[in-house]
């Protein structure tokens, strides 16, 4: 294969080719001018509006719906209920693989959680459909809701997260604890969180006979296509999904959700295009969430602060009818070396919607508990928490014993600490004040996230005029994929980015795999890179086998592609332009295909992770307990950075979520009704500008030859993991008060102090 001229220069240095450049978003103008078309912006002719009626109880059955009153309302066209819904080809409660989640599609009158759809009103206007849904005035037979981690029998799930075993260990934990000279045991709790993407789940569905055309946000087009095909009994190829932009997904749009399918059913029922958009409060139930956890950490160390035992037990919750278990204890698999490590999970079934992957699922929940406990252990040893981490961070993956693909973590600790000024930190808490008398605290947390890759496919075309086309059903959900992947596309063809027509966001393009697990750039990027390489190899064959070409006889591996020309590797003065090669051959274009191969769970010599270290400063009012994060410095090693501007933005996003996790975000469930009490963005707190301080994200240079051909790791989720713990630890350092229930709210701080 000929070489594609990828830069070997440090990722943060501008170097002249596309990869590594801090380009602004290619779709930026579309977005800021409002011309980027999101799902709900579509209005096909004749379109009707569907509005969900959702359950106000968490468990029981719907005894009565006043369908007549709703239908009598002006503008209402149809009311879809379990009695008249269109037939499906597949039971929505069928589950033939772990990622086929059970959906509530009006299959019966049962209510399994609050905000479950119980009817759909379809009308000529949004207002009429909304009023019609109100007029349904449901009556229920209510059963007591099971709310909270103690509300039902405890059991051990068969698998946690994406199919991981529920327990793992290395060495004997009790022996390790017994041998330790210092021990801590502490219980931490994390709250339920809901994805709350800025764009709610929305769909515009149009049937034409048995073909289906839909506009809907999707993090996994082929998976959505497959699920819909099964439910409606049509071939996947009959379904065209357009998803050019998502207003965030965070995992909730990875699989097609029940409400999206209800929109398709509504369109089938009325024989017209139908739009269905979730109201904010309707997102607190049927589209997934992060389950609550209670985590018990037992840690032992010897006199010089060397870890001897690390036991991490998690209790979490799933719904009464389906399985997803937040794998919080797995966070202890990758961070700290200890001769004995044990992790385990147990769970309870509650009357909630089924939890789901949500931004660093397991890593976020698990790491805030682990990082807090590590801090408590450092304190017990009388050691600086950074020094304790430097002594105990893992150089091989602790449970598997596999070498990490890099040892860049140490560099993250040292670059982050230096930038932050960590050496000026007082060892004891409650020692530092600012000029206004506010308590100042500094905390550190280690960041970790697996370097995943899924299966993906791409197509590349080189046209006779020397321009290129790259096609992949990739997902632009605000993270910048369109830009970063376009950069890879341009380099893969050895072209300038403006010479490449980059097409993505549609199910009729090659399957890009799922945009999740911080793996989209690696997955789609490697597929694109291979598609481009396939084109260039064919082009090189044409040239090097043609006696009229200056490249004749160089051999396929003897040329390099750059700037729209092929160069002889051993003599760069000899080159030929793409259009000259194609023109002479009489070909209008050359097409190439590329794929990436999933690495999840693949037996591998190396443990693949991105790493980081985050340093936080908080200020706390000593009288009122009011907390603010005033400074955050993160240092991250995440392989090759395709676009430093966008990668930094992703790292910032994660760090802000870390602040949210530590101090703000929680769904409060009413213990009596099982309803979320704060299903809106006024009371479900997330950080606003005033909560977010000066952020710094240092991208530590890392060349990892093992993760994939481009050396790409993920930057989307890792920022949450170190930050949440760093903020929690900074609150302790400011106040001397350890709050073990997250988020750390003012009342909890005061309560823990009392
Ligand atoms: Mo996700 S939980 O969208 O990686």
């Amino acid at each position: 294969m000929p070489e594609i001229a990828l830069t070997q220069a440090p990722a943060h240095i501008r170097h002249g080719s596309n990869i590594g450049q801090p380009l602004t978003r290619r779709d930026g103008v579309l977005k800021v001018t409002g011309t980027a078309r999101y799902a709900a912006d579509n209005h096909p002719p004749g379109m009707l509006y569907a509005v969900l009626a959702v359950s106000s109880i968490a468990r029981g059955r719907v005894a009565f719906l006043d369908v007549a009153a709703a239908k009598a309302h002006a503008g209402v066209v149809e009311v879809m209920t379990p009695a008249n819904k269109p037939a499906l080809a597949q039971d929505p409660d069928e589950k033939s693989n772990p990622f086929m989640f059970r959906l509530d599609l009006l299959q019966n009158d049962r209510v399994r959680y609050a905000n479950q759809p119980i009817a759909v009103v379809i009308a000529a206007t949004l207002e009429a459909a909304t009023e019609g849904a109100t007029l349904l005035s449901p009556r229920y037979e209510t059963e007591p809701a099971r709310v909270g981690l103690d509300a039902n029998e405890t059991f051990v799930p068969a698998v946690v997260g994406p199919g991981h075993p529920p327990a793992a260990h290395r060495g004997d934990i009790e022996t390790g604890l017994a041998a330790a000279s210092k021990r801590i045991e502490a219980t931490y709790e994390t709250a339920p969180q809901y994805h709350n993407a800025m764009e709610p789940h929305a769909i515009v569905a149009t049937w034409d006979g048995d073909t289906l055309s839909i506009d809907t946000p999707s993090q996994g087009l082929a998976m959505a296509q497959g699920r819909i095909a099964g439910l409606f009994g049509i071939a996947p190829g009959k379904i065209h999904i357009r998803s050019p932009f998502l207003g965030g997904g965070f995992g909730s749009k990875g699989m097609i959700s029940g409400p999206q399918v209800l929109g398709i059913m509504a369109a089938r029922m009325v024989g017209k295009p139908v739009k269905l958009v979730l109201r904010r409060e309707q997102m607190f139930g049927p589209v997934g969430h992060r389950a609550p956890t209670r985590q018990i950490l037992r840690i032992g160390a010897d006199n010089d602060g060397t870890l001897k035992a690390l036991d991490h037990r998690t209790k979490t919750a799933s719904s009464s009818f389906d399985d997803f278990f937040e794998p919080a204890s797995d966070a202890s698999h990758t961070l700290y070396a200890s001769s004995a490590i044990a992790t385990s999970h147990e769970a309870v079934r509650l009357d909630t919607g089924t939890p789901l992957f949500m931004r660093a699922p397991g890593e976020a929940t698990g790491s805030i508990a682990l990082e807090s406990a590590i801090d408590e252990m450092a304190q017990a040893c009388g050691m600086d928490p950074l020094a304790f981490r430097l002594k105990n961070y893992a150089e091989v993956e602790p449970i598997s014993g596999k070498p990490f693909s890099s040892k860049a973590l140490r560099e993250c600790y040292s670059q982050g600490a230096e930038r932050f000024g960590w050496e000026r930190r007082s060892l004891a808490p409650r020692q530092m004040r600012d000029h206004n008398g506010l308590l100042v605290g500094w905390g550190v947390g280690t960041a970790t996230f697996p370097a995943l890759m899924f299966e993906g496919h791409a197509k590349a075309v080189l046209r006779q005029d020397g321009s290129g086309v790259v096609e992949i059903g990739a997902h632009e959900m605000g993270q910048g994929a369109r830009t970063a992947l376009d950069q890879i596309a341009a380099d893969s063809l050895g072209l300038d980015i403006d010479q490449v027509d980059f097409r993505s966001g549609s199910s009729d393009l090659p399957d890009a795999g799922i945009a999740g697990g911080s793996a989209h750039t690696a997955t789609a990027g490697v597929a694109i890179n291979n598609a481009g390489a396939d084109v260039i190899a064919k082009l090189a064959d044409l040239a090097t086998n043609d006696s009229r070409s200056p490249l004749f006889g160089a051999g396929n591996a003897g040329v390099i592609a750059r700037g729209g020309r092929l160069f002889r590797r051993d003599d760069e003065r000899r080159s030929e332009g793409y259009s000259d090669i194609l023109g002479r051959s009489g070909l209008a274009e050359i097409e190439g295909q590329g794929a990436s191969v999933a690495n999840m769970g693949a037996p591998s010599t190396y443990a693949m992770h991105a790493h980081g270290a985050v340093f936080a400063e908080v200020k706390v009012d000593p009288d009122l307990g009011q907390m603010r994060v005033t400074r955050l410095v993160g240092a991250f090693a995440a392989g090759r950075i395709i676009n430093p501007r966008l990668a930094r933005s992703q790292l910032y996003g994660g760090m802000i979520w870390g602040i949210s996790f530590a101090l703000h975000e929680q769904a409060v469930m009413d213990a009596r009704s099982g309803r979320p009490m704060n299903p809106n963005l006024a009371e479900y707190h997330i950080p606003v500008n005033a909560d977010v301080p000066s952020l710094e994200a240092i991208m530590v240079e890392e060349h990892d030859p093992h993760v994939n051909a481009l050396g790409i790791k993920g930057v989307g989720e890792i920022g949450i993991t170190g930050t949440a713990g760093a903020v929690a630890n900074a609150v302790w350092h400011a106040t001397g008060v350890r709050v073990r229930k997250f988020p750390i709210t003012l009342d909890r701080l005061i309560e823990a102090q009392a």
Side-chain angles (χ1 to χ4, degrees), residues 219 250-251 357-359 361 516-518 717:
Q219 292 175 246
F250 311 134
F357 299 98
M358 175 165 160
R359 226 68 190 125
S518 297
E717 290 160 277

Side-chain angles (χ1 to χ4, degrees), residues 99-225:
F99 298 115
M100 189 168 162
F101 288 93
R102 300 193 163 104
L103 303 175
D104 288 283
L105 303 178
L106 306 175
Q107 56 262 49
N108 53 47
D109 62 5
R110 289 297 306 171
V111 173
R112 317 198 266 202
Y113 52 91
N115 292 328
Q116 177 191 313
I118 55 173
V120 181
V121 178
I122 306 149
T125 64
L126 177 62
E127 292 76 9
T130 304
E131 180 62 14
T134 306
L135 291 169
L136 286 170
S137 310
R139 286 203 299 273
Y140 302 97
E141 282 170 19
T142 308
E143 294 168 49
R146 291 157 296 189
V147 181
L149 290 171
D150 300 307
N152 205 344
E153 273 171 50
T154 301
F155 63 96
V156 176
V159 296
V160 297
H164 297 167
H169 76 278
R170 183 179 181 90
D172 184 69
I173 200 73
E174 299 304 334
T175 309
L177 281 167
S181 49
K182 302 268 192 327
R183 278 179 289 274
I184 62 130
E185 171 169 349
T187 302
Y188 305 89
E189 289 188 45
T190 64
Q193 298 179 351
Y194 283 76
H195 300 77
N196 274 307
M198 202 187 296
E199 176 203 31
H201 294 63
I203 189 162
V204 176
T206 307
W207 285 94
D208 178 7
D210 69 343
T211 66
L212 172 63
S213 166
I214 58 187
D215 296 282
T216 201
S218 169
Q219 292 175 246
L221 286 163
M223 271 176 74
Q225 216 181 13

Side-chain angles (χ1 to χ4, degrees), residues 195 200 202 247 310 339 392 488 566 581 597 678 681:
H195 300 77
L310 170 55
S339 37
N392 288 296
I488 295 171
L566 294 182
I581 301 170
V597 181
N678 55 345
L681 291 180

Side-chain angles (χ1 to χ4, degrees), residues 42 56 137 164 179 208 264 302 343 376 415 420 636 638 681 708:
N42 291 285
S56 60
S137 310
H164 297 167
D208 178 7
I264 302 170
D302 67 13
T343 62
E376 297 203 47
Q415 288 190 27
F420 186 82
F636 301 95
L681 291 180
N708 52 58

Side-chain angles (χ1 to χ4, degrees), residues 388-474:
F388 188 82
R389 283 172 175 79
L390 284 167
K391 190 174 193 82
N392 288 296
Y393 77 91
E395 299 204 28
V396 300
E397 193 179 53
I399 297 242
S400 71
K402 289 178 194 170
F404 278 129
S405 41
S406 83
K407 289 173 186 166
L409 176 55
R410 191 178 182 91
E411 199 53 38
C412 296
Y413 283 130
S414 90
Q415 288 190 27
E418 189 185 335
R419 183 75 200 163
F420 186 82
W422 182 262
E423 64 186 21
R424 299 192 308 275
R425 179 184 181 274
S426 70
L427 181 61
R430 219 180 165 95
Q431 298 298 310
M432 293 163 46
R433 298 231 180 193
D434 76 357
H435 57 273
N436 291 320
L438 296 176
L439 296 165
V440 176
W442 288 0
V444 60
T446 311
T448 179
F449 199 81
L452 300 174
M453 217 163 95
F454 306 118
E455 183 182 333
H457 301 269
K459 180 176 134 182
V461 172
L462 189 64
R463 296 186 287 215
Q464 204 181 67
D465 64 2
S467 68
V469 183
V470 169
E471 295 188 335
I472 181 160

